[in-house]
């Protein structure tokens, strides 16, 4: 009989604990529609959805000279890089890109571009499919600083994805105390794992890295290459 009373008492204690936990519930977790193919999450800042270039500008503030065709953003070689009007510091970033077939170009000349985070940190875009080059300049590298962990580049003409988690520098009174960090999945595969970025990469803006900055898409150009018709689509970011 004593054991039965102990079991009953334990049950009441457990119920009391559950009820107390329910009473201490915090605010509800934010609900976000995750979206899907060609649809950004509901809390994302959409930079390009195939319909307009209103979210972008050239460095001097002039309208973008890149073009749209079939819902795709096409780089116009020689017109210059484009910069998002929206800025961020910590963000989840999604970019889809398609490298053109350039069989007569080799190494860095083949479909060279870049995705700059916060305006200053370049994630290299390149046709690295059967195209040897220096590792820190291959597709998915943090240019000049970190090689990609693996090469998962698809053949030219196929769409590819960068899913990026970026944390900008941590600063105190304008002084960097902790450098930027980045994790990247290319085509669903981890290629950068909490890589520490020591400072702006080659060609990156040297503006105050303690402040927010834009997403920047590079019009690279290369000697002897008339045009590099990189395509982009479905570009968005979520501030973290």
């Amino acid at each position: 009989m004593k054991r039965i009373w102990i079991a009953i008492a334990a049950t009441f204690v457990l119920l009391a604990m559950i009820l107390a936990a329910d009473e201490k519930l915090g605010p509800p977790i934010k609900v976000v529609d995750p979206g899907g193919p060609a649809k950004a999450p509901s809390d994302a800042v959409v930079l390009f959805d195939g319909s307009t270039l209103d979210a972008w500008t050239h460095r001097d503030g002039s309208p973008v000279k890149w073009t749209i065709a079939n819902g795709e953003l096409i780089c116009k070689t020689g017109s210059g890089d484009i910069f998002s009007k929206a800025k961020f510091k910590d963000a989840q970033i999604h970019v889809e890109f398609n490298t053109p077939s350039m069989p007569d170009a080799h190494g860095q000349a083949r479909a060279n571009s870049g995705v700059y985070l916060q305006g200053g940190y370049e994630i290299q875009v390149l046709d690295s499919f059967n195209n040897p080059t220096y590792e820190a300049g291959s597709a998915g590298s943090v240019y000049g600083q970190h090689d990609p962990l693996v090469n998962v580049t698809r053949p030219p003409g196929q769409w590819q994805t960068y899913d990026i988690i970026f944390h900008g520098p941590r600063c105190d009174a304008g002084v960097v105390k902790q450098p930027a960090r980045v994790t990247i999945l290319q085509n669903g595969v981890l290629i950068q794992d909490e890589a520490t970025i020591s400072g702006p990469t080659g060609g990156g803006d040297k503006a105050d890295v303690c402040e927010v900055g834009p997403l920047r898409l590079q019009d690279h150009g290369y000697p002897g290459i008339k045009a590099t018709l990189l395509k982009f689509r479905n570009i968005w970011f979520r501030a973290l």
Side-chain angles (χ1 to χ4, degrees):
M1 179 64 71
K2 183 177 180 181
R3 291 181 179 178
I4 294 174
W5 283 111
I6 291 173
I8 292 172
T11 300
F12 276 107
V13 170
L14 180 60
L15 287 172
M17 292 173 64
I18 292 172
L19 291 172
D22 286 343
E23 291 174 357
K24 294 179 180 179
L25 288 176
I29 297 173
K30 177 182 177 181
V31 176
V32 174
D33 180 345
K39 182 183 178 183
S42 58
D43 64 345
V45 177
V46 177
L47 299 177
F48 182 71
D49 64 1
S51 63
T52 177
L53 292 172
D54 289 349
W56 300 87
T57 183
H58 284 295
R59 184 185 293 276
D60 61 3
S62 63
V64 171
K65 297 180 180 65
W66 295 24
T67 58
I68 298 176
N70 301 317
E72 301 163 359
L73 174 59
I74 304 173
C75 175
K76 183 178 180 181
T77 302
S79 66
D81 298 356
I82 63 173
F83 299 74
S84 67
K85 294 177 182 177
K87 298 181 179 181
F88 60 86
K89 191 171 183 183
D90 297 346
Q92 173 188 352
I93 303 143
H94 177 84
V95 179
E96 298 180 22
F97 63 95
N98 189 321
T99 57
S101 178
M102 303 174 67
D104 296 328
H106 304 282
Q108 293 293 297
R110 185 179 290 180
N112 194 323
S113 183
V115 175
Y116 283 83
L117 312 176
Q118 202 183 350
Y121 306 100
E122 182 185 7
I123 309 306
Q124 175 78 316
V125 173
L126 191 78
D127 177 8
S128 288
F129 185 80
N130 294 331
N131 179 38
T133 187
Y134 53 93
E135 288 80 2
S138 57
S141 63
V142 179
Y143 188 80
Q145 295 191 30
H146 293 284
D147 308 346
L149 299 174
V150 289
N151 181 351
V152 293
T153 303
R154 291 177 175 149
Q158 295 187 19
W159 284 98
Q160 307 190 61
T161 59
Y162 281 161
D163 286 294
I164 302 167
I165 306 297
F166 175 73
H167 295 280
R170 294 299 181 258
C171 303
D172 184 10
V175 177
V176 175
K177 298 298 184 180
Q178 180 179 327
R181 294 169 290 123
V182 68
T183 295
I184 306 173
L185 283 80
Q186 180 180 356
N187 302 327
V189 178
L190 184 69
I191 61 168
Q192 298 287 351
D193 188 8
E194 282 284 306
T196 297
I197 311 176
S198 60
T201 56
D205 292 337
K206 304 301 190 292
D208 187 353
V209 296
C210 296
E211 299 297 326
V212 294
L215 193 71
R216 171 183 165 194
L217 301 181
Q218 187 182 44
D219 167 24
H220 187 280
Y222 204 86
I225 303 298
K226 292 183 178 181
T228 300
L229 300 178
L230 252 298
K231 298 178 182 179
F232 297 89
R233 69 181 185 188
N234 301 334
I235 305 172
W236 52 262
F237 75 85
R238 298 178 62 246
L240 300 178

